[in-house]
Amino acid sequence: MTDAPYVPPKVWTWNKENGGQFASINRPIAGPTHDKELPVGKHPLQLYSLATPNGVKVTVMLEELLALGHKGAEYDAWLIKIGNGDQFGSGFVDINPNSKIPALMDRSGPEPIRVFESGSILFYLAEKFGAFLPKDIKTRTEAMSWLFWQMGSAPYLGGGFGHFYAYAPFKIEYAIDRFAMEVKRQLDVLDRRLADNEYLAGKEYTIADMAVWPWYGALAKGLVYGAGEFLSVQDYKNVQRWTDQIAKRPAVKRGRMVNRISGDPASQLHERHDASDFETRTQDKLEAAKTA
């Protein structure tokens, strides 16, 4: 005997948790749930984030800027534990009314400037430091097109495929098929672009690559949702080449560590306040110090 098909009511009301891994932090209203000021460190740029793909975009960008010698890109990276609802604290909502990581405060000028949405942060930093965004109009526009492609496409990967394949309380064949089809189409879009181009905008590594890589590079290596085999990610050879090439960059390796709270303790730098933290304050070293 099968359950009766769902018939939507005339007016939807929120009368129960929706189930799944993130049910406790999902709600149909915005605004803060509690009062909590955010800490402020010593650097001009204050980042409040977590090492999700969206968070990694920005820490990679900041580490790449520092690698180029932009001292003004020094930053404090504070940990926002979204599973605990830190993003609904009043201080965080003041920076990002959408209550999503990452969020950035630039305190280098006479008045602090808030920047939210990962694509906006990448563009802001590229403009501020004159880096990783081409100067000629054709290549610049290509980079911006791929940046916006990622912002529009990734919700189908994360909120669509990832949710129904990995996080939903039960499997729905239609939903998984629908979003798997779309994600594979997106991988094919990338693979075709990268067949004749070293990077997404052409020969130059840009904020477009920094935006796309944490999502689709992780997918290509089977690191998200346990879906590599299911999606046959090995078939996208050009995406694989591009993913491996970016992963070798020292700044990318550092950026992936910042605000990370899972995986190998040696790869986790929960908060970053100084360049030396990569050598002295990774989680393996902090844990070893506690037992010494």
Side-chain angles (χ1 to χ4, degrees):
M1 183 175 180
T2 59
D3 293 336
Y6 171 67
V7 178
K10 287 187 176 182
V11 179
W12 183 85
T13 57
W14 185 42
N15 56 17
K16 62 183 183 299
E17 287 190 349
N18 65 352
Q21 184 171 334
F22 302 105
S24 63
I25 61 171
N26 290 335
R27 59 196 183 112
I29 56 175
T33 60
H34 58 283
D35 289 328
K36 184 177 181 180
E37 292 186 8
L38 291 174
V40 178
K42 62 183 179 180
H43 297 302
L45 300 177
Q46 299 293 302
L47 179 67
Y48 304 93
S49 191
L50 180 69
T52 66
N54 285 335
V56 168
K57 296 175 191 176
V58 177
T59 50
V60 164
M61 174 64 164
L62 289 166
E63 291 298 327
E64 291 281 15
L65 288 168
L66 290 170
L68 281 183
H70 293 285
K71 296 181 179 180
E74 270 294 353
Y75 68 105
D76 291 276
W78 302 94
L79 182 61
I80 300 295
K81 293 185 177 180
I82 60 176
N84 296 346
D86 291 353
Q87 69 275 31
F88 299 119
S90 57
F92 190 89
V93 175
D94 283 344
I95 300 178
N96 186 354
N98 196 37
S99 292
K100 303 289 185 181
I101 63 93
L104 180 74
M105 285 293 290
D106 183 354
R107 297 179 175 273
S108 62
E111 292 187 17
I113 297 174
R114 75 176 188 181
V115 197
F116 61 93
E117 292 296 325
S118 56
S120 177
I121 296 172
L122 291 178
F123 179 68
Y124 177 83
L125 293 172
E127 289 274 277
K128 179 181 177 71
F129 293 102
F132 301 111
L133 189 58
K135 297 293 190 291
D136 70 281
I137 188 64
K138 182 178 179 180
T139 314
R140 180 187 180 91
T141 302
E142 190 72 24
M144 292 301 294
S145 292
W146 285 105
L147 173 64
F148 279 88
W149 177 88
Q150 187 279 320
M151 299 299 290
S153 296
Y156 291 98
L157 170 54
F161 174 77
H163 175 78
F164 287 107
Y165 184 80
Y167 302 136
F170 48 86
K171 305 301 183 186
I172 303 173
E173 182 181 4
Y174 172 80
I176 292 173
D177 284 351
R178 171 68 182 87
F179 287 109
M181 181 186 301
E182 172 60 15
V183 169
K184 286 183 70 66
R185 188 192 68 82
Q186 292 175 6
L187 286 168
D188 195 40
V189 169
L190 287 174
D191 206 61
R192 290 168 184 263
R193 173 62 183 172
L194 293 167
D196 300 314
N197 294 276
E198 185 176 5
Y199 297 106
L200 289 172
K203 296 180 180 179
E204 190 173 341
Y205 173 65
T206 71
I207 57 173
D209 302 287
M210 296 179 203
V212 176
W213 182 84
W215 279 103
Y216 294 89
L219 184 67
K221 293 303 175 183
L223 300 178
V224 290
Y225 314 128
E229 182 179 5
F230 181 75
L231 295 172
S232 301
V233 294
Q234 71 281 354
D235 293 345
Y236 303 97
K237 303 299 185 184
N238 302 309
V239 175
Q240 293 288 341
R241 184 270 308 162
W242 168 84
T243 297
D244 291 340
Q245 186 172 342
I246 292 175
K248 293 176 183 177
R249 297 178 68 90
V252 171
K253 294 178 181 179
R254 292 192 298 272
R256 289 190 70 243
M257 296 171 64
V258 179
N259 297 143
R260 182 166 297 279
I261 58 174
S262 63
D264 182 357
S267 72
Q268 299 179 37
L269 183 60
H270 288 191
E271 292 189 351
R272 188 264 192 215
H273 303 290
D274 191 87
S276 63
D277 290 347
F278 291 102
E279 302 298 327
T280 62
R281 296 191 61 80
T282 52
Q283 202 60 20
D284 60 324
K285 294 183 175 65
L286 295 181
E287 291 173 1
K290 288 180 182 179
T291 58

